[in-house]
Amino acid sequence: MKSTYAEGPFYSITLDDGVATCRVWGNPDLDWAEGARWAHEIAKALLTLAAGPRESARALLFDDREAPPVVGPRTQTSLGTFLSAWERRGRRVAFVLDASPVRGLQARRLLAEWAPKHGRAFTSIEEARAWVLARDADSPGPTKPSPR
């Protein structure tokens, strides 16, 4: 059963069948500083989920398809903080991206740095969900898109 865990002016975090889904989108009413502050709030919520029972959140689906095309250094630090927490606990993180090459490069760099074993980037929400739910870490098929 899907339930809302946290939400803010440009994000929502839901829990469904042991998978946490964080969806983020652009909000033109917020300046960079406010966006970075809210990114820190997202990171705190996702850190709490990573530290909690595996049954509640065994994997994270981070839906970044509607986010701004570039994020600043404070937001990148917040992303790295929660990615490393999920990585340390051996929990999968699927980063779902749009076709933006700049955002894709940023996200892949963050995953390589902070979640190299348990983080993967996807352009399809369906493939990302299938991977976080799969038993075998290498299933299904090619899940590490080639760099652009």
Side-chain angles (χ1 to χ4, degrees):
M1 184 160 139
K2 189 173 185 175
S3 64
T4 300
Y5 179 78
E7 55 190 355
F10 66 87
Y11 76 94
S12 69
I13 301 171
T14 57
L15 297 172
D16 186 18
D17 193 28
V19 175
T21 299
C22 180
R23 189 174 74 85
V24 295
W25 56 89
N27 184 336
D29 295 333
L30 299 177
D31 64 25
W32 283 87
E34 288 176 295
R37 185 179 66 77
W38 280 104
H40 180 71
E41 292 300 313
I42 293 169
K44 284 186 348 187
L46 294 176
L47 285 168
T48 300
L49 284 171
R54 185 177 278 290
E55 302 79 43
S56 297
R58 68 180 176 276
L60 171 62
L61 191 62
F62 195 83
D63 185 352
D64 202 44
R65 294 175 295 171
E66 297 176 37
V70 177
V71 296
R74 288 176 47 201
T75 299
Q76 288 183 51
T77 299
S78 293
L79 291 166
T81 299
F82 78 73
L83 288 170
S84 66
W86 287 75
E87 175 78 7
R88 282 191 312 273
R89 286 165 179 83
R91 298 182 191 188
R92 294 180 187 178
V93 177
F95 225 100
V96 187
L97 306 164
D98 67 4
S100 165
V102 173
R103 188 70 186 114
L105 288 172
Q106 252 186 353
R108 286 180 180 87
R109 181 186 52 76
L110 288 166
L111 286 167
E113 183 177 345
W114 298 103
K117 292 181 184 174
H118 301 289
R120 299 227 176 142
F122 297 86
T123 54
S124 159
I125 193 88
E126 294 81 12
E127 287 180 12
R129 185 160 183 78
W131 179 72
V132 297
L133 292 172
R135 287 187 172 269
D136 179 4
D138 293 324
S139 295
T143 56
K144 285 205 175 201
S146 60
R148 295 180 180 178

PDB file of all heavy atoms in Angstrom, residues 87-114:
ATOM      1  N   GLU A  87      24.254   3.389   0.036  1.00  0.00           N
ATOM      2  CA  GLU A  87      25.357   2.534  -0.411  1.00  0.00           C
ATOM      3  C   GLU A  87      25.951   1.745   0.769  1.00  0.00           C
ATOM      4  O   GLU A  87      26.157   0.538   0.672  1.00  0.00           O
ATOM      5  CB  GLU A  87      26.443   3.404  -1.071  1.00  0.00           C
ATOM      6  CG  GLU A  87      27.684   2.662  -1.480  1.00  0.00           C
ATOM      7  CD  GLU A  87      27.537   1.858  -2.769  1.00  0.00           C
ATOM      8  OE1 GLU A  87      26.505   1.957  -3.440  1.00  0.00           O
ATOM      9  OE2 GLU A  87      28.478   1.116  -3.082  1.00  0.00           O
ATOM     10  N   ARG A  88      26.228   2.433   1.874  1.00  0.00           N
ATOM     11  CA  ARG A  88      26.813   1.771   3.058  1.00  0.00           C
ATOM     12  C   ARG A  88      25.927   0.660   3.592  1.00  0.00           C
ATOM     13  O   ARG A  88      26.414  -0.310   4.152  1.00  0.00           O
ATOM     14  CB  ARG A  88      27.063   2.793   4.170  1.00  0.00           C
ATOM     15  CG  ARG A  88      28.292   3.639   3.980  1.00  0.00           C
ATOM     16  CD  ARG A  88      28.635   4.435   5.235  1.00  0.00           C
ATOM     17  NE  ARG A  88      27.518   5.147   5.825  1.00  0.00           N
ATOM     18  CZ  ARG A  88      27.123   6.374   5.479  1.00  0.00           C
ATOM     19  NH1 ARG A  88      27.747   7.018   4.513  1.00  0.00           N
ATOM     20  NH2 ARG A  88      26.106   6.954   6.083  1.00  0.00           N
ATOM     21  N   ARG A  89      24.623   0.805   3.438  1.00  0.00           N
ATOM     22  CA  ARG A  89      23.691  -0.199   3.951  1.00  0.00           C
ATOM     23  C   ARG A  89      23.345  -1.256   2.910  1.00  0.00           C
ATOM     24  O   ARG A  89      22.507  -2.112   3.138  1.00  0.00           O
ATOM     25  CB  ARG A  89      22.444   0.490   4.472  1.00  0.00           C
ATOM     26  CG  ARG A  89      22.750   1.185   5.792  1.00  0.00           C
ATOM     27  CD  ARG A  89      21.697   2.166   6.194  1.00  0.00           C
ATOM     28  NE  ARG A  89      22.019   2.784   7.463  1.00  0.00           N
ATOM     29  CZ  ARG A  89      22.841   3.818   7.608  1.00  0.00           C
ATOM     30  NH1 ARG A  89      23.446   4.345   6.576  1.00  0.00           N
ATOM     31  NH2 ARG A  89      23.063   4.336   8.798  1.00  0.00           N
ATOM     32  N   GLY A  90      23.984  -1.187   1.747  1.00  0.00           N
ATOM     33  CA  GLY A  90      23.771  -2.199   0.716  1.00  0.00           C
ATOM     34  C   GLY A  90      22.389  -2.160   0.101  1.00  0.00           C
ATOM     35  O   GLY A  90      21.867  -3.183  -0.328  1.00  0.00           O
ATOM     36  N   ARG A  91      21.804  -0.974   0.044  1.00  0.00           N
ATOM     37  CA  ARG A  91      20.462  -0.817  -0.525  1.00  0.00           C
ATOM     38  C   ARG A  91      20.561  -0.124  -1.876  1.00  0.00           C
ATOM     39  O   ARG A  91      21.274   0.854  -2.037  1.00  0.00           O
ATOM     40  CB  ARG A  91      19.572  -0.011   0.418  1.00  0.00           C
ATOM     41  CG  ARG A  91      19.388  -0.723   1.751  1.00  0.00           C
ATOM     42  CD  ARG A  91      18.478   0.035   2.663  1.00  0.00           C
ATOM     43  NE  ARG A  91      18.512  -0.527   4.010  1.00  0.00           N
ATOM     44  CZ  ARG A  91      17.708  -0.155   4.974  1.00  0.00           C
ATOM     45  NH1 ARG A  91      16.792   0.774   4.766  1.00  0.00           N
ATOM     46  NH2 ARG A  91      17.801  -0.703   6.159  1.00  0.00           N
ATOM     47  N   ARG A  92      19.827  -0.627  -2.840  1.00  0.00           N
ATOM     48  CA  ARG A  92      19.876  -0.105  -4.205  1.00  0.00           C
ATOM     49  C   ARG A  92      19.261   1.284  -4.326  1.00  0.00           C
ATOM     50  O   ARG A  92      18.259   1.579  -3.681  1.00  0.00           O
ATOM     51  CB  ARG A  92      19.143  -1.042  -5.150  1.00  0.00           C
ATOM     52  CG  ARG A  92      19.820  -2.371  -5.282  1.00  0.00           C
ATOM     53  CD  ARG A  92      19.052  -3.251  -6.215  1.00  0.00           C
ATOM     54  NE  ARG A  92      19.642  -4.590  -6.182  1.00  0.00           N
ATOM     55  CZ  ARG A  92      19.180  -5.594  -6.852  1.00  0.00           C
ATOM     56  NH1 ARG A  92      18.124  -5.451  -7.635  1.00  0.00           N
ATOM     57  NH2 ARG A  92      19.761  -6.770  -6.781  1.00  0.00           N
ATOM     58  N   VAL A  93      19.877   2.080  -5.188  1.00  0.00           N
ATOM     59  CA  VAL A  93      19.360   3.401  -5.538  1.00  0.00           C
ATOM     60  C   VAL A  93      19.302   3.486  -7.058  1.00  0.00           C
ATOM     61  O   VAL A  93      20.331   3.381  -7.724  1.00  0.00           O
ATOM     62  CB  VAL A  93      20.259   4.541  -5.006  1.00  0.00           C
ATOM     63  CG1 VAL A  93      19.722   5.886  -5.459  1.00  0.00           C
ATOM     64  CG2 VAL A  93      20.386   4.489  -3.495  1.00  0.00           C
ATOM     65  N   ALA A  94      18.103   3.653  -7.584  1.00  0.00           N
ATOM     66  CA  ALA A  94      17.914   3.847  -9.023  1.00  0.00           C
ATOM     67  C   ALA A  94      17.619   5.317  -9.252  1.00  0.00           C
ATOM     68  O   ALA A  94      16.652   5.862  -8.723  1.00  0.00           O
ATOM     69  CB  ALA A  94      16.761   2.987  -9.529  1.00  0.00           C
ATOM     70  N   PHE A  95      18.479   5.984  -9.998  1.00  0.00           N
ATOM     71  CA  PHE A  95      18.341   7.391 -10.341  1.00  0.00           C
ATOM     72  C   PHE A  95      17.692   7.442 -11.714  1.00  0.00           C
ATOM     73  O   PHE A  95      18.265   6.970 -12.689  1.00  0.00           O
ATOM     74  CB  PHE A  95      19.740   8.012 -10.406  1.00  0.00           C
ATOM     75  CG  PHE A  95      19.875   9.331  -9.733  1.00  0.00           C
ATOM     76  CD1 PHE A  95      20.428   9.432  -8.475  1.00  0.00           C
ATOM     77  CD2 PHE A  95      19.474  10.488 -10.392  1.00  0.00           C
ATOM     78  CE1 PHE A  95      20.591  10.656  -7.866  1.00  0.00           C
ATOM     79  CE2 PHE A  95      19.633  11.724  -9.787  1.00  0.00           C
ATOM     80  CZ  PHE A  95      20.189  11.806  -8.512  1.00  0.00           C
ATOM     81  N   VAL A  96      16.492   7.984 -11.809  1.00  0.00           N
ATOM     82  CA  VAL A  96      15.780   8.045 -13.085  1.00  0.00           C
ATOM     83  C   VAL A  96      15.921   9.460 -13.649  1.00  0.00           C
ATOM     84  O   VAL A  96      15.533  10.434 -13.006  1.00  0.00           O
ATOM     85  CB  VAL A  96      14.293   7.673 -12.937  1.00  0.00           C
ATOM     86  CG1 VAL A  96      13.628   7.591 -14.302  1.00  0.00           C
ATOM     87  CG2 VAL A  96      14.141   6.360 -12.182  1.00  0.00           C
ATOM     88  N   LEU A  97      16.507   9.536 -14.846  1.00  0.00           N
ATOM     89  CA  LEU A  97      16.858  10.814 -15.454  1.00  0.00           C
ATOM     90  C   LEU A  97      16.082  11.065 -16.733  1.00  0.00           C
ATOM     91  O   LEU A  97      15.646  10.129 -17.388  1.00  0.00           O
ATOM     92  CB  LEU A  97      18.350  10.804 -15.798  1.00  0.00           C
ATOM     93  CG  LEU A  97      19.288  10.468 -14.656  1.00  0.00           C
ATOM     94  CD1 LEU A  97      20.660  10.108 -15.180  1.00  0.00           C
ATOM     95  CD2 LEU A  97      19.364  11.639 -13.698  1.00  0.00           C
ATOM     96  N   ASP A  98      15.991  12.339 -17.098  1.00  0.00           N
ATOM     97  CA  ASP A  98      15.438  12.669 -18.406  1.00  0.00           C
ATOM     98  C   ASP A  98      16.574  12.619 -19.425  1.00  0.00           C
ATOM     99  O   ASP A  98      17.648  12.111 -19.141  1.00  0.00           O
ATOM    100  CB  ASP A  98      14.748  14.045 -18.388  1.00  0.00           C
ATOM    101  CG  ASP A  98      15.719  15.191 -18.174  1.00  0.00           C
ATOM    102  OD1 ASP A  98      16.943  14.973 -18.116  1.00  0.00           O
ATOM    103  OD2 ASP A  98      15.242  16.332 -18.052  1.00  0.00           O
ATOM    104  N   ALA A  99      16.355  13.154 -20.578  1.00  0.00           N
ATOM    105  CA  ALA A  99      17.356  13.081 -21.646  1.00  0.00           C
ATOM    106  C   ALA A  99      18.407  14.189 -21.568  1.00  0.00           C
ATOM    107  O   ALA A  99      19.266  14.276 -22.424  1.00  0.00           O
ATOM    108  CB  ALA A  99      16.662  13.129 -23.003  1.00  0.00           C
ATOM    109  N   SER A 100      18.373  15.040 -20.539  1.00  0.00           N
ATOM    110  CA  SER A 100      19.329  16.145 -20.420  1.00  0.00           C
ATOM    111  C   SER A 100      20.749  15.605 -20.236  1.00  0.00           C
ATOM    112  O   SER A 100      21.049  14.958 -19.237  1.00  0.00           O
ATOM    113  CB  SER A 100      18.963  17.030 -19.221  1.00  0.00           C
ATOM    114  OG  SER A 100      20.039  17.881 -18.898  1.00  0.00           O
ATOM    115  N   PRO A 101      21.633  15.875 -21.180  1.00  0.00           N
ATOM    116  CA  PRO A 101      22.997  15.363 -21.069  1.00  0.00           C
ATOM    117  C   PRO A 101      23.747  15.923 -19.863  1.00  0.00           C
ATOM    118  O   PRO A 101      24.487  15.200 -19.202  1.00  0.00           O
ATOM    119  CB  PRO A 101      23.676  15.785 -22.369  1.00  0.00           C
ATOM    120  CG  PRO A 101      22.669  16.449 -23.202  1.00  0.00           C
ATOM    121  CD  PRO A 101      21.414  16.601 -22.428  1.00  0.00           C
ATOM    122  N   VAL A 102      23.532  17.198 -19.544  1.00  0.00           N
ATOM    123  CA  VAL A 102      24.239  17.802 -18.410  1.00  0.00           C
ATOM    124  C   VAL A 102      23.799  17.155 -17.100  1.00  0.00           C
ATOM    125  O   VAL A 102      24.622  16.755 -16.277  1.00  0.00           O
ATOM    126  CB  VAL A 102      24.015  19.335 -18.374  1.00  0.00           C
ATOM    127  CG1 VAL A 102      24.600  19.942 -17.107  1.00  0.00           C
ATOM    128  CG2 VAL A 102      24.610  19.981 -19.600  1.00  0.00           C
ATOM    129  N   ARG A 103      22.502  17.036 -16.904  1.00  0.00           N
ATOM    130  CA  ARG A 103      21.988  16.418 -15.669  1.00  0.00           C
ATOM    131  C   ARG A 103      22.414  14.952 -15.611  1.00  0.00           C
ATOM    132  O   ARG A 103      22.747  14.444 -14.551  1.00  0.00           O
ATOM    133  CB  ARG A 103      20.461  16.543 -15.623  1.00  0.00           C
ATOM    134  CG  ARG A 103      19.871  16.104 -14.322  1.00  0.00           C
ATOM    135  CD  ARG A 103      20.226  17.092 -13.197  1.00  0.00           C
ATOM    136  NE  ARG A 103      19.746  16.550 -11.955  1.00  0.00           N
ATOM    137  CZ  ARG A 103      20.526  16.152 -10.955  1.00  0.00           C
ATOM    138  NH1 ARG A 103      21.818  16.277 -11.040  1.00  0.00           N
ATOM    139  NH2 ARG A 103      20.009  15.657  -9.862  1.00  0.00           N
ATOM    140  N   GLY A 104      22.407  14.285 -16.745  1.00  0.00           N
ATOM    141  CA  GLY A 104      22.844  12.887 -16.779  1.00  0.00           C
ATOM    142  C   GLY A 104      24.293  12.737 -16.355  1.00  0.00           C
ATOM    143  O   GLY A 104      24.635  11.850 -15.575  1.00  0.00           O
ATOM    144  N   LEU A 105      25.152  13.613 -16.855  1.00  0.00           N
ATOM    145  CA  LEU A 105      26.563  13.567 -16.458  1.00  0.00           C
ATOM    146  C   LEU A 105      26.733  13.832 -14.971  1.00  0.00           C
ATOM    147  O   LEU A 105      27.503  13.155 -14.283  1.00  0.00           O
ATOM    148  CB  LEU A 105      27.378  14.578 -17.272  1.00  0.00           C
ATOM    149  CG  LEU A 105      27.612  14.230 -18.733  1.00  0.00           C
ATOM    150  CD1 LEU A 105      28.249  15.405 -19.465  1.00  0.00           C
ATOM    151  CD2 LEU A 105      28.485  12.996 -18.850  1.00  0.00           C
ATOM    152  N   GLN A 106      26.002  14.835 -14.455  1.00  0.00           N
ATOM    153  CA  GLN A 106      26.080  15.145 -13.027  1.00  0.00           C
ATOM    154  C   GLN A 106      25.636  13.951 -12.188  1.00  0.00           C
ATOM    155  O   GLN A 106      26.318  13.568 -11.232  1.00  0.00           O
ATOM    156  CB  GLN A 106      25.185  16.347 -12.685  1.00  0.00           C
ATOM    157  CG  GLN A 106      25.924  17.590 -12.387  1.00  0.00           C
ATOM    158  CD  GLN A 106      24.996  18.710 -11.901  1.00  0.00           C
ATOM    159  OE1 GLN A 106      23.764  18.617 -11.893  1.00  0.00           O
ATOM    160  NE2 GLN A 106      25.616  19.796 -11.495  1.00  0.00           N
ATOM    161  N   ALA A 107      24.503  13.371 -12.533  1.00  0.00           N
ATOM    162  CA  ALA A 107      23.964  12.251 -11.759  1.00  0.00           C
ATOM    163  C   ALA A 107      24.883  11.038 -11.824  1.00  0.00           C
ATOM    164  O   ALA A 107      25.143  10.386 -10.806  1.00  0.00           O
ATOM    165  CB  ALA A 107      22.572  11.886 -12.266  1.00  0.00           C
ATOM    166  N   ARG A 108      25.410  10.730 -12.986  1.00  0.00           N
ATOM    167  CA  ARG A 108      26.298   9.568 -13.117  1.00  0.00           C
ATOM    168  C   ARG A 108      27.594   9.769 -12.337  1.00  0.00           C
ATOM    169  O   ARG A 108      28.132   8.849 -11.747  1.00  0.00           O
ATOM    170  CB  ARG A 108      26.555   9.265 -14.586  1.00  0.00           C
ATOM    171  CG  ARG A 108      25.343   8.634 -15.252  1.00  0.00           C
ATOM    172  CD  ARG A 108      25.597   8.319 -16.727  1.00  0.00           C
ATOM    173  NE  ARG A 108      24.426   7.714 -17.311  1.00  0.00           N
ATOM    174  CZ  ARG A 108      23.412   8.396 -17.833  1.00  0.00           C
ATOM    175  NH1 ARG A 108      23.420   9.715 -17.844  1.00  0.00           N
ATOM    176  NH2 ARG A 108      22.371   7.768 -18.344  1.00  0.00           N
ATOM    177  N   ARG A 109      28.094  11.009 -12.310  1.00  0.00           N
ATOM    178  CA  ARG A 109      29.292  11.293 -11.522  1.00  0.00           C
ATOM    179  C   ARG A 109      29.007  11.101 -10.031  1.00  0.00           C
ATOM    180  O   ARG A 109      29.786  10.494  -9.308  1.00  0.00           O
ATOM    181  CB  ARG A 109      29.786  12.718 -11.783  1.00  0.00           C
ATOM    182  CG  ARG A 109      31.063  13.053 -10.999  1.00  0.00           C
ATOM    183  CD  ARG A 109      31.477  14.497 -11.139  1.00  0.00           C
ATOM    184  NE  ARG A 109      30.448  15.468 -10.851  1.00  0.00           N
ATOM    185  CZ  ARG A 109      30.034  15.793  -9.614  1.00  0.00           C
ATOM    186  NH1 ARG A 109      30.552  15.209  -8.559  1.00  0.00           N
ATOM    187  NH2 ARG A 109      29.098  16.701  -9.448  1.00  0.00           N
ATOM    188  N   LEU A 110      27.849  11.603  -9.571  1.00  0.00           N
ATOM    189  CA  LEU A 110      27.472  11.432  -8.160  1.00  0.00           C
ATOM    190  C   LEU A 110      27.316   9.955  -7.808  1.00  0.00           C
ATOM    191  O   LEU A 110      27.768   9.509  -6.750  1.00  0.00           O
ATOM    192  CB  LEU A 110      26.181  12.197  -7.853  1.00  0.00           C
ATOM    193  CG  LEU A 110      26.308  13.710  -7.820  1.00  0.00           C
ATOM    194  CD1 LEU A 110      24.927  14.358  -7.841  1.00  0.00           C
ATOM    195  CD2 LEU A 110      27.095  14.160  -6.602  1.00  0.00           C
ATOM    196  N   LEU A 111      26.679   9.193  -8.680  1.00  0.00           N
ATOM    197  CA  LEU A 111      26.516   7.762  -8.428  1.00  0.00           C
ATOM    198  C   LEU A 111      27.868   7.056  -8.392  1.00  0.00           C
ATOM    199  O   LEU A 111      28.107   6.220  -7.509  1.00  0.00           O
ATOM    200  CB  LEU A 111      25.618   7.127  -9.490  1.00  0.00           C
ATOM    201  CG  LEU A 111      24.129   7.437  -9.374  1.00  0.00           C
ATOM    202  CD1 LEU A 111      23.402   7.028 -10.643  1.00  0.00           C
ATOM    203  CD2 LEU A 111      23.527   6.764  -8.155  1.00  0.00           C
ATOM    204  N   ALA A 112      28.754   7.381  -9.309  1.00  0.00           N
ATOM    205  CA  ALA A 112      30.079   6.747  -9.343  1.00  0.00           C
ATOM    206  C   ALA A 112      30.865   7.068  -8.077  1.00  0.00           C
ATOM    207  O   ALA A 112      31.589   6.217  -7.551  1.00  0.00           O
ATOM    208  CB  ALA A 112      30.848   7.197 -10.576  1.00  0.00           C
ATOM    209  N   GLU A 113      30.701   8.277  -7.580  1.00  0.00           N
ATOM    210  CA  GLU A 113      31.443   8.703  -6.390  1.00  0.00           C
ATOM    211  C   GLU A 113      30.830   8.183  -5.095  1.00  0.00           C
ATOM    212  O   GLU A 113      31.539   7.737  -4.201  1.00  0.00           O
ATOM    213  CB  GLU A 113      31.508  10.229  -6.357  1.00  0.00           C
ATOM    214  CG  GLU A 113      32.323  10.786  -5.209  1.00  0.00           C
ATOM    215  CD  GLU A 113      32.431  12.305  -5.250  1.00  0.00           C
ATOM    216  OE1 GLU A 113      32.122  12.917  -6.295  1.00  0.00           O
ATOM    217  OE2 GLU A 113      32.820  12.877  -4.229  1.00  0.00           O
ATOM    218  N   TRP A 114      29.504   8.247  -4.968  1.00  0.00           N
ATOM    219  CA  TRP A 114      28.841   7.978  -3.693  1.00  0.00           C
ATOM    220  C   TRP A 114      28.107   6.644  -3.613  1.00  0.00           C
ATOM    221  O   TRP A 114      27.831   6.177  -2.506  1.00  0.00           O
ATOM    222  CB  TRP A 114      27.868   9.106  -3.369  1.00  0.00           C
ATOM    223  CG  TRP A 114      28.547  10.417  -3.222  1.00  0.00           C
ATOM    224  CD1 TRP A 114      28.581  11.434  -4.137  1.00  0.00           C
ATOM    225  CD2 TRP A 114      29.323  10.868  -2.116  1.00  0.00           C
ATOM    226  NE1 TRP A 114      29.324  12.477  -3.663  1.00  0.00           N
ATOM    227  CE2 TRP A 114      29.791  12.162  -2.425  1.00  0.00           C
ATOM    228  CE3 TRP A 114      29.672  10.293  -0.888  1.00  0.00           C
ATOM    229  CZ2 TRP A 114      30.577  12.889  -1.550  1.00  0.00           C
ATOM    230  CZ3 TRP A 114      30.458  11.024  -0.022  1.00  0.00           C
ATOM    231  CH2 TRP A 114      30.901  12.303  -0.352  1.00  0.00           C
TER     232      TRP A 114
END
